[in-house]
Amino acid sequence: MTTATTTNTQRENPRLDEIIAAHQGREAPLMPILNDVQAEFGCVSEDTKRHIAEALNLTRAEVHGMVSFYHDYHETKATLPILKLCRAEACQSRGSEALAAKAEAMANGRAEIESVYCLGLCSVGPNAMIGGSVHARLDEPALEALIREL
Amino acid sequence: MRIAISDDALAIACGADKLAEAFAKAAPDAEIVRTSSWGMQWLEPLVDIDGMGFGPATPGDVAAILDGSSDKAIGKIEDHPFIAKQQRLTFARAGKTQPLSLEDYSETGGWAGLKKAHEIGPEATIEMVTESGLRGRGGAGFPAGIKWKTVAGAIADQKYIVCNADEGDSGTFADRMLMEGDPYCLIEGMAIAGHAVGATKGYIYLRSEYPHAVAKMDAAIKASAHLVSPFELEVRVGAGAYVCGEETSLLNSLEGKRGEVRAKPPLPALEGLFGKPTVVNNVLTLAAVPYVLAEGAKAYADYGMGRSRGTMPVQLAGNIKHGGLYEIAFGITLGELVEEIGGGTDSGRPVKAVQVGGPLGAYFPPSMFHLPFDYEAFTEADGLIGHGGIVVFDDTADMLNQAHFAMEFCAVESCGKCTPCRIGAVRGQETLERIRAGGRGAGAFEALPQMHNAKSAERSLEDEVVLLTDLCETMKFGSLCALGGFTPYPVMSALTHWPEDFGIRETEAAE
């Protein structure tokens, strides 16, 4: 059992071991593990990378390569709630750029505004996503209301 | 009374959940069901009361809708011109069934295709798919039957069916709608493919921006496992990389690696997932298969034009009055789709440009609206159908900005493996910025001693345009995959059709 081993560089984290154990028997378990880790902890830290690498018999570089490649994985946890505003062409044609220009000021320390490229709601933009919930037909008051509720 | 409201992500984003709650409170005796979406997205949330439609509805409209005085009434939904004129084969169940109801699925002809495939055997199944003329709906348009035949002919201890559900193109949502609205149809298509080529394991690679689709597919796979056994299915969720929609990058990602593109050959059909023979097909390709098997190859091939057979679920998006899903045989013109069906722009201003085929697709002006929706016709016009998304822009759009965005997007999403894409996209952005500035003065940077090969003289706007054209040529023919290879389409089409937005006077453009 490699999942339970601990090294000097990493603190004990039973939840991380559970996530790894839940996927370890599958084909190519790394990505499902990273998805769950990101969802659960809000980031994939250096310690976590090393721990996962050890558990899956990979190098730390292989795990780090994954984390740095995919936009969804973050090295550090965001301190504020994240609002993802769609900036792809369909939303651009419906005014997302003007909205995005004001979003930062609206968020004003309440939320972190991230860009996302297409939520698949392309005829009712501008659109945004908060966690797993999606919001369409945003204008300034609607976006402001969304941010206030965060 | 049966009140149906969609639980499609778009309907939910427009407030369908709150609306359903309001109806449950106001009409406690009514049967409230959550169905798939009809695809008339400007009317979402659309309420379907015993076949009559009301939309876009808000909780404030509930009382009026129930007492019959609502001005949101659109009449009988099935007779609405947007629906009545469509040829829905893949989306035959849209709006009508509950996505996760196995009962609804089998009552509407579900599993007939899989049954037929089992009856006639793998070879005849592949034959039927080939005869139907079905081509890959992800963008490349490769004949599905030929791909299947290659995989079927390969000898290996394990083969895979991989469904590409990494629908990252802006302006496309047909995959999402199908997975959220009719998940068993995709499962049936994949099971047929598995039976045909001898694969027992299937993966659906689904983008993380589609949490509703992930939940529906997971639930549907669980509920239907006994019906497709011994074929096994699994959803794998992506992590926000656009390039993973490219099939070899997708395979790397499925293997738990960085989503870097692989050089071809070897073809994924021979050495795909984990080096095994693999069918990689788009959601819409696989979802079209049950119809082909159940109704026959000819029934499908009778739709369409030229070498583009069958129907295409066209997605009308962006600044369009009547946006949504419009499934129709190939051959309809761009103008019919945008002007007649789509009703022009939502803003009411004139249409300036439409981008067909996502961020890698060309921009077309209204003067090219005679183009028929057909793979070959679009290729000839220096564009592509891609995944069938059409994004409309009104006359406030600045095409230099759009060209710049195309390069910027390519730079952000490039996997980094090949030079034309990785470096070209960055240089493209810089060149476009200099074009916006009207050229550049004599360069200080190029005057450095180590830059002895660089041209240090000032460059005019025309020089910059020549550079951009040359760069696009290099990217188009030198990139490993469609990301770098097709980014020149939006850039060059913007430059060709709207030179004035690039500061080029008409006389010069004509020369």
Side-chain angles (χ1 to χ4, degrees), chain A residues 26-28 31 35 65-66 68-72 89-90 92-94 117-120 122-123 129 134 136-137, chain B residues 13 41 44 160 170-171 173 176 203 207-208 211 234 236-237 239-240 253 257-259 318-319 346 402 405 413:
Chain A
R26 305 168 76 181
E27 287 183 313
M31 202 151 168
N35 282 345
M66 286 289 283
S68 61
F69 184 88
Y70 293 97
H71 300 304
D72 284 2
E89 289 90 338
Q92 287 171 16
S93 75
R94 301 182 64 88
Y117 293 96
C118 200
L119 299 170
C122 310
S123 63
M129 187 177 204
V134 280
R137 293 181 184 138
Chain B
Q41 297 177 338
E44 293 287 6
Y160 295 99
S170 175
F173 42 76
R176 180 185 62 71
Y203 283 103
R207 63 201 295 260
S208 61
E234 201 179 315
R236 283 292 168 101
V237 182
S253 185
K257 298 175 186 155
R258 291 160 68 90
N319 193 340
D346 193 29
Q402 296 310 124
F405 176 77
E413 297 297 339

Side-chain angles (χ1 to χ4, degrees), chain B residues 131 186 428:
Chain B
E131 269 175 35
L186 175 59

Side-chain angles (χ1 to χ4, degrees), chain A residues 30-85:
Chain A
L30 180 55
M31 202 151 168
I33 290 173
L34 290 176
N35 282 345
D36 282 4
V37 166
Q38 175 66 42
E40 180 107 9
F41 306 121
C43 68
V44 187
S45 67
E46 185 57 37
D47 284 352
T48 307
K49 277 186 253 178
R50 289 179 188 276
H51 192 56
I52 293 171
E54 196 171 322
L56 299 184
N57 198 21
L58 299 169
T59 65
R60 178 252 170 214
E62 283 168 300
V63 180
H64 175 74
M66 286 289 283
V67 174
S68 61
F69 184 88
Y70 293 97
H71 300 304
D72 284 2
Y73 304 142
H74 299 282
E75 308 259 348
T76 51
K77 193 177 173 193
T79 49
L80 296 170
I82 295 170
L83 184 141
K84 293 182 179 178
L85 192 62

Side-chain angles (χ1 to χ4, degrees), chain B residues 321-368:
Chain B
K321 197 169 172 199
H322 299 153
L325 185 102
Y326 201 86
E327 183 175 352
I328 189 88
F330 285 99
I332 188 168
T333 67
L334 198 49
E336 285 174 89
L337 286 165
V338 174
E339 304 281 8
E340 287 168 38
I341 296 152
T345 63
D346 193 29
S347 60
R349 303 181 64 95
V351 175
K352 177 167 183 176
V354 296
Q355 187 179 27
V356 185
L360 309 174
Y363 287 99
F364 291 113
S367 62
M368 293 179 82

